Amino acid sequence: AEFHQSRLGKELTESISYVDTIVITGDLFETPNEENASLYENFYFSLTKLANGKPPIVVIGNHDVRKKGMFWKNYEYITPFVNNGVIPVFNCEFIFLCFNSIEGGILAKGKIKKRQFERMSREYLLKKETKPETQGLLPIVLMHHH
């Protein structure tokens, strides 16, 4: 993991000036353990530093959680650095809708529940109504492979 992180860091350092926003759509880890979480946190802060203080937008993937509870019906995030909800990004004129596609299932068989769609819709409409600067932003849905 450290080799890949170093190699990716070198590539990003060379190309980061061409990037408006960094978006990661899940599977930050192959195995969600403390060692990988620590490596990811270092990577997250390095990306933020390379992007002049602008953190990446990250949605959770099925490999990014620990199984928990009876029959693995529950889970816990291995890292706090994930986004859910509606995030306007003005420099590239997008508004990202970050869905948690593992919320309604068991890991690789996740889905997005109706309640999350409703909550996201309310949040999106509220942002458009209360923040006029979001009116012209192109909505982009972010989710993992489910």
Side-chain angles (χ1 to χ4, degrees), residues 44-99:
Y44 178 90
F45 287 117
S46 294
L47 278 179
T48 301
K49 184 177 179 183
L50 284 171
N52 294 317
K54 187 170 184 187
I57 296 172
V58 181
V59 295
I60 199 83
N62 60 308
H63 286 263
D64 303 328
V65 294
R66 284 189 187 142
K67 300 171 194 173
K68 181 177 164 183
M70 187 175 278
F71 304 112
W72 303 323
K73 289 189 177 185
N74 296 315
Y75 59 87
E76 64 182 357
Y77 297 137
I78 191 67
T79 178
F81 302 108
V82 295
N83 301 100
N84 289 309
V86 178
I87 302 170
V89 181
F90 298 102
N91 65 321
C92 58
E93 299 182 6
F94 296 149
I95 188 164
F96 291 104
L97 288 78
C98 301
F99 283 89

Side-chain angles (χ1 to χ4, degrees), residues 4-19 21-24 42-44 46-51 56:
H4 295 296
Q5 188 174 12
S6 172
R7 187 172 174 188
L8 181 58
K10 183 178 184 296
E11 291 289 326
L12 287 172
T13 301
E14 293 171 2
S15 62
I16 199 78
S17 63
Y18 303 108
V19 176
T21 300
I22 299 169
V23 175
I24 303 170
N42 290 338
F43 177 68
Y44 178 90
S46 294
L47 278 179
T48 301
K49 184 177 179 183
L50 284 171

